Amino acid sequence: MKSVKEKISISIESSLAKILDESAQSSGTSKSALVEEALHQWVENRLAEDARATAKATFDDLPSEDKWTQLQPKW
């Protein structure tokens, strides 16, 4: 299934724009595709960082079952 694309406008440094232009031309890929791939990689890296941080969580600060029962409302 083809994804829906959304057009955006960005401003970047001239040196980065030049690199993007040269990369697109040399690879035969559109600038949009290069930026989209870079964003995909950024998201994947961010997810991996979050997963590593979550894996280190110990949850030592959670109350015991008895304490949790005392904290619950008495309806």
Side-chain angles (χ1 to χ4, degrees):
M1 189 167 116
K2 199 169 192 177
S3 62
V4 176
K5 302 284 182 167
E6 187 167 326
K7 190 173 190 90
I8 64 169
S9 176
I10 61 169
S11 297
I12 59 174
E13 293 178 10
S14 298
S15 59
L16 291 175
K18 184 177 180 181
I19 292 168
L20 185 61
D21 286 336
E22 290 170 354
S23 296
Q25 197 170 31
S26 67
S27 67
T29 307
S30 69
K31 291 185 279 186
S32 293
L34 290 174
V35 170
E36 187 173 7
E37 179 58 30
L39 286 171
H40 278 294
Q41 289 177 10
W42 179 81
V43 168
E44 288 297 320
N45 289 339
R46 185 69 187 266
L47 289 172
E49 287 175 17
D50 289 349
R52 282 191 294 276
T54 302
K56 290 179 183 177
T58 60
F59 304 107
D60 292 336
D61 61 338
L62 295 177
S64 68
E65 190 170 340
D66 290 336
K67 183 67 176 173
W68 183 250
T69 303
Q70 292 173 359
L71 295 172
Q72 295 304 306
K74 310 268 190 234
W75 295 329

